Amino acid sequence: MALGFFGLALFLFLTLDSDIGASPSASASASAASSEGVEVHITYGSVIKLMHEKTKFRLHSHDVPYGSGSGQQSVTGFPNVDDSNSYWIVRPEPGTSAKQGDTIKSGTIIRLQHMRTRKWLHSHLHASPISGNLEVSCFGGESESDTGDYWRLFIEGSGKTWKQDQRIRLQHVDTGGYLHSHDKKYSRIAGGQQEVCGLREKRADNVWLAAEGVYLPVTETK
């Protein structure tokens, strides 16, 4: 397990931008702390997988467009843990003073950038393919991001800052829809993967947890 985390940390060090990349030793230390039961914060620049609490599927994307709605890059729930297309970089809202290594408080607006394709987790008023709820897609790129990429973090329970394995909801700023998934699955292009969409109602199906990943250590001054 430790070697696997270190390998991922080294890969990130070699491939990610300098503004979010971490040294292998720092990233490996953060991941090792998680595996040893030490409390780990999610910080800006961390690369994580989000697990849907109810179904245990991971938030996932790949360079396959929707065949309906916006036609943008599709976002799904993926059943297997070991897939590099389920990694997301935690980014701040542009124009804020937030920096790499800062912790993230409940109520904060964040963005999630898909590590492999560099596009942003996005939503809008297009209908999702299976349920007809709000479509969730990946859109834009390094220099192309808008308010459709903004998600407000809400921590479930008493915690004030986001930590690994903590129950959270992400509410889309523009539409008010919560990041949502359910056991409705695709049968063709993304066979076996389940729909991810936006839903304006607060339900048990829109709770997520930060699972596997490389968690950058806290660097903000106390």
Side-chain angles (χ1 to χ4, degrees):
M1 179 67 77
L3 287 175
F5 278 130
F6 184 81
L8 174 61
L10 181 59
F11 171 77
L12 295 172
F13 176 74
L14 294 172
T15 58
L16 295 181
D17 299 356
S18 59
D19 64 326
I20 59 89
S23 71
S25 58
S27 298
S29 296
S31 299
S34 171
S35 67
E36 293 167 5
V38 177
E39 190 174 75
V40 176
H41 286 84
I42 286 78
T43 57
Y44 291 119
S46 293
V47 182
I48 67 172
K49 290 185 180 182
L50 277 181
M51 182 182 72
H52 186 240
E53 183 185 48
K54 197 165 183 182
T55 65
K56 311 306 180 190
F57 280 45
R58 269 60 175 175
L59 185 69
H60 181 89
S61 190
H62 38 232
D63 193 12
V64 176
Y66 284 120
S68 61
S70 69
Q72 293 173 6
Q73 182 172 303
S74 57
V75 172
T76 64
F78 196 77
N80 299 329
V81 173
D82 298 324
D83 192 289
S84 61
N85 280 313
S86 300
Y87 282 112
W88 301 83
I89 307 165
V90 183
R91 302 281 203 180
E93 178 186 2
T96 68
S97 61
K99 63 187 183 301
Q100 175 181 306
D102 283 355
T103 58
I104 305 168
K105 293 180 180 179
S106 187
T108 301
I109 293 174
I110 66 168
R111 297 177 297 161
L112 292 175
Q113 186 177 28
H114 189 238
M115 191 183 82
R116 180 62 64 87
T117 64
R118 316 304 281 183
K119 295 183 179 182
W120 304 98
L121 186 69
H122 186 87
S123 191
H124 36 223
L125 297 177
H126 290 284
S128 62
I130 298 178
S131 63
N133 293 316
L134 299 167
E135 182 188 272
V136 172
S137 64
C138 269
F139 183 69
E142 295 287 1
S143 59
E144 183 182 5
S145 179
D146 58 29
T147 58
D149 309 328
Y150 292 5
W151 299 83
R152 193 177 298 278
L153 169 78
F154 291 104
I155 295 170
E156 296 292 302
S158 59
K160 294 183 179 179
T161 57
W162 191 11
K163 300 179 183 70
Q164 190 183 23
D165 299 324
Q166 195 167 36
R167 301 171 72 246
I168 65 157
R169 298 179 198 269
L170 291 173
Q171 185 177 31
H172 191 245
V173 171
D174 283 356
T175 65
Y178 291 97
L179 185 67
H180 182 87
S181 192
H182 40 213
D183 59 3
K184 295 179 173 65
K185 294 181 175 61
Y186 293 97
S187 58
R188 291 189 291 173
I189 295 176
Q193 297 176 42
Q194 66 191 27
E195 184 183 56
V196 170
C197 57
L199 191 71
R200 290 191 174 103
E201 286 181 53
K202 216 186 236 193
R203 291 188 187 173
D205 279 334
N206 40 54
V207 174
W208 301 79
L209 303 92
E212 304 82 16
V214 175
Y215 294 83
L216 300 190
V218 176
T219 58
E220 62 189 351
T221 55
K222 303 296 186 196

